[in-house]
């Protein structure tokens, strides 16, 4: 097996640990915050939504720093910030403290330490089989599903403060060695490619081909394609962020225990793993844009039925469909962006695009919280999510290069 695939595998495992604790696992803390402090769900949802605003406000800066400083070095800084965020979370007593711990610590560190730099390294290393590489990398969140019940169990057994501190220790123990290994593999592969090119004129797989688009940020911002794709992703994130944040508490309202609800959320993430691999493989063969449109249609139907039906069998069936669609969409996003705009300024363009999708990622959890506080039900919110999935599909249809 080519050395560069070890970078993808290590990135997948690192992404799994990061997502398990920093994304899906955070939803398991939601009921504890509500019970201990009596905050409204809108207020608590605001912390999760503001975390998504952080990715929009700081996304361009994060991308610029990664492109300028280099993905390998920035990983260690991000991991440190993320670990400190979880330590801070264990001392939270007020709503502003909750917002700071999640936004400035956990989410910012997660982005700088895991998602952005590893995505850049994969995009730069792969041209052939790029979708498959990203599909494997994006399988990490699916694997992370096994960690969500662990987070829920830690909260029940030790309390949410101890669970937060334990999460910090685990992220530090796993993150630093994996960052070193990923950087080592990348350097070894890059050195081998340079050596091969010097010996026999071999063209590096990481080097852009003559027919590849290589947009600068300014060129991307002038492109209608950039805005159509970013808006499509904004609506898609509105749906998936809203559902993910409120998934556990929705099931608790319907009579599930916190452990069972956290377990189903973890299962949802694991179910999406095969779709990430499948869409990664199909993305190298078929039109990625058409694949994304089909997945958005499936997302719409499944979210609508999840909001209207409390029957365990129907809800679980729709959850499976939702999970597969969610996983497939996650696997296709970066390959589509790399195909559309190239890798010359990949992190910077990705960061600015995230500033556009922030509108959706911010509104999703807030919208669900507001409509729950008004109606004491998630039916209206999930119906809106279903419609927004179709809107996303429409913009994706327009985003044709």
């Amino acid at each position: 097996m080519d050395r560069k695939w070890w970078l993808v595998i290590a990135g997948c495992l690192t992404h799994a640990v990061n997502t398990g604790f920093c994304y899906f696992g955070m939803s398991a803390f939601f009921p504890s915050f509500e019970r201990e402090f009596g905050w409204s769900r809108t207020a608590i949802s605001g912390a999760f939504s503001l975390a998504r605003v952080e990715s929009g406000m700081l996304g361009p800066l994060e991308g610029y720093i990664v492109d300028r400083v280099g993905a390998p070095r920035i990983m260690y800084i991000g991991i440190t910030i993320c670990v400190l965020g979880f330590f801070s979370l264990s001392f939270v007593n007020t709503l502003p403290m909750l917002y700071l711990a999640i936004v400035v610590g956990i989410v910012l560190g997660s982005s700088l330490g895991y998602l952005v730099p590893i995505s850049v390294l994969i995009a730069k290393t792969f041209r052939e089989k790029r979708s498959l590489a990203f599909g494997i990398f994006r399988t990490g969140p699916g694997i992370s599903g096994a960690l969500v019940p662990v987070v829920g169990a830690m909260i029940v057994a030790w309390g949410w403060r101890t669970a937060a501190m334990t999460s910090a220790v685990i992220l530090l123990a796993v993150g630093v060695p994996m960052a070193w290994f990923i950087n080592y593999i990348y350097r070894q592969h890059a050195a081998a490619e340079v050596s091969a090119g010097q010996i026999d004129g071999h063209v590096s797989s990481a080097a852009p081909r003559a027919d590849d688009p290589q947009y600068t940020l300014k060129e991307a911002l002038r492109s209608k394609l950039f805005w159509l794709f970013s808006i499509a992703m904004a609506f898609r994130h509105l749906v998936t962020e809203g559902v993910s944040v409120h998934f556990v508490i929705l099931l608790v309202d319907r009579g599930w225990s916190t452990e069972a609800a956290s377990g189903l959320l973890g299962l949802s993430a694991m179910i999406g793993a095969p779709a990430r691999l499948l869409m990664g493989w199909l993305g190298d063969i078929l039109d990625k844009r058409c694949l994304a449109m089909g997945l958005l249609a499936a997302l719409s139907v499944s979210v609508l039925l999840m909001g209207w039906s409390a029957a365990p069998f129907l809800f679980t069936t729709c959850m499976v469909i939702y999970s597969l669609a969610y996983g497939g969409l996650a696997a296709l996003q970066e390959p589509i962006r790399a195909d559309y705009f190239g890798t010359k300024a990949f992190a910077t363009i990705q960061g600015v695009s995230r500033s556009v999708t922030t509108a959706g990622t911010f509104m999703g959890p807030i919208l669900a919280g507001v409509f729950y506080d008004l109606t004491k039900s998630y039916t209206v919110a999930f119906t809106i999510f279903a419609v927004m999935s179709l809107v996303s599909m429409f913009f994706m249809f327009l985003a044709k290069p």
Side-chain angles (χ1 to χ4, degrees):
M1 182 172 64
D2 195 324
R3 180 190 290 109
K4 64 184 180 181
W5 288 103
W6 286 108
L7 186 155
V8 179
I9 294 170
C12 170
L13 296 176
T14 306
H15 195 18
V17 176
N18 169 51
T19 308
F21 287 98
C22 302
Y23 186 77
F24 291 119
M26 288 302 299
S27 297
F29 287 88
F30 201 128
S32 299
F33 298 148
E34 185 182 38
R35 283 194 298 266
E36 180 162 336
F37 300 110
W39 298 327
S40 72
R41 295 188 185 179
T42 301
I44 300 172
S45 299
F48 292 89
S49 290
L50 192 58
R52 277 56 178 180
V53 172
E54 174 276 330
S55 69
M57 293 188 300
L58 299 182
L61 179 61
E62 292 170 2
Y64 177 82
I65 291 173
V66 171
D67 277 335
R68 290 295 181 266
V69 176
R73 283 186 286 180
I74 209 69
M75 288 182 69
Y76 295 105
I77 298 173
I79 291 169
T80 301
I81 295 173
C82 185
V83 169
L84 292 175
F86 270 103
F87 272 119
S88 300
L89 182 66
S90 68
F91 294 100
V92 161
N93 283 307
T94 65
L95 197 58
M97 289 177 65
L98 176 68
Y99 278 46
L100 284 172
I102 292 178
V103 177
V104 180
I106 295 171
V107 175
L108 175 61
S110 172
S111 180
L112 284 177
Y114 304 93
L115 178 59
V116 177
I118 299 175
S119 295
V120 170
L121 294 180
I122 292 174
K124 288 182 177 295
T125 301
F126 288 86
R127 176 56 182 85
E128 301 297 333
K129 300 186 177 179
R130 178 183 286 158
S131 287
L132 179 58
F134 270 109
I136 294 172
F137 171 58
R138 283 296 195 167
T139 303
I143 301 173
S144 75
L147 296 175
V148 181
V150 174
V151 176
M154 288 194 304
I155 293 172
V156 172
W158 304 330
W160 66 271
R161 295 184 187 274
T162 303
M165 192 167 292
T166 304
S167 298
V169 173
I170 294 173
L171 284 168
L172 180 63
V174 173
V176 172
M178 292 300 285
W180 177 87
F181 181 73
I182 290 170
N183 291 329
Y184 172 77
I185 294 297
Y186 179 72
R187 289 194 302 268
Q188 291 293 309
H189 172 72
E193 291 288 299
V194 170
S195 176
Q198 291 174 342
I199 293 173
D200 57 14
H202 171 72
V203 177
S204 168
S205 62
R209 297 191 319 194
D211 60 343
D212 278 348
Q214 293 298 325
Y215 282 68
T216 63
L217 176 61
K218 184 180 293 187
E219 291 169 339
L221 291 176
R222 291 174 179 171
S223 168
K224 182 174 67 174
L225 186 61
F226 171 86
W227 296 104
L228 290 171
F229 179 67
S230 297
I231 292 171
M233 291 301 99
F235 281 110
R236 173 247 155 176
H237 281 285
L238 182 150
V239 177
T240 54
E241 298 293 344
V243 172
S244 295
V245 169
H246 289 268
F247 189 94
V248 172
I249 195 68
L250 177 150
L251 291 178
V252 170
D253 284 348
R254 293 179 176 178
W256 294 57
S257 67
T258 299
E259 301 96 309
S262 299
L264 191 62
L265 178 61
L267 180 62
S268 172
M270 294 176 69
I271 290 171
R276 294 168 192 259
L277 286 173
L278 178 61
M279 289 301 117
W281 176 68
L282 287 176
D284 289 321
I285 302 172
L286 305 176
D287 188 326
K288 300 179 184 66
R289 184 178 64 96
C290 292
L291 290 173
M293 289 169 58
L295 292 171
L296 286 165
L299 193 75
S300 176
V301 174
S302 60
V303 168
L304 179 67
L305 295 177
M306 286 167 65
W308 280 88
S309 176
F313 177 77
L314 181 58
F315 181 90
T316 304
T317 301
C318 292
M319 182 273 293
V320 171
I321 298 173
Y322 167 85
S323 304
L324 292 172
Y326 183 7
L329 287 166
L332 291 172
Q333 184 168 309
E334 279 92 355
I336 291 175
R337 184 178 291 114
D339 287 353
Y340 281 6
F341 307 109
T343 60
K344 180 179 180 180
F346 181 83
T348 306
I349 293 173
Q350 181 187 48
V352 175
S353 181
R354 285 166 59 197
S355 71
V356 178
T357 62
T358 291
T361 55
F362 175 75
M363 287 303 300
I366 288 287
L367 184 120
V370 168
F371 276 100
Y372 177 85
D373 288 338
L374 290 174
T375 65
K376 302 304 176 186
S377 169
Y378 283 107
T379 301
V380 175
F382 275 54
T383 300
I384 295 173
F385 288 159
V387 174
M388 293 300 99
S389 295
L390 297 179
V391 174
S392 176
M393 183 175 69
F394 173 71
F395 277 96
M396 199 68 224
F397 170 75
L398 296 178
K400 184 176 182 179

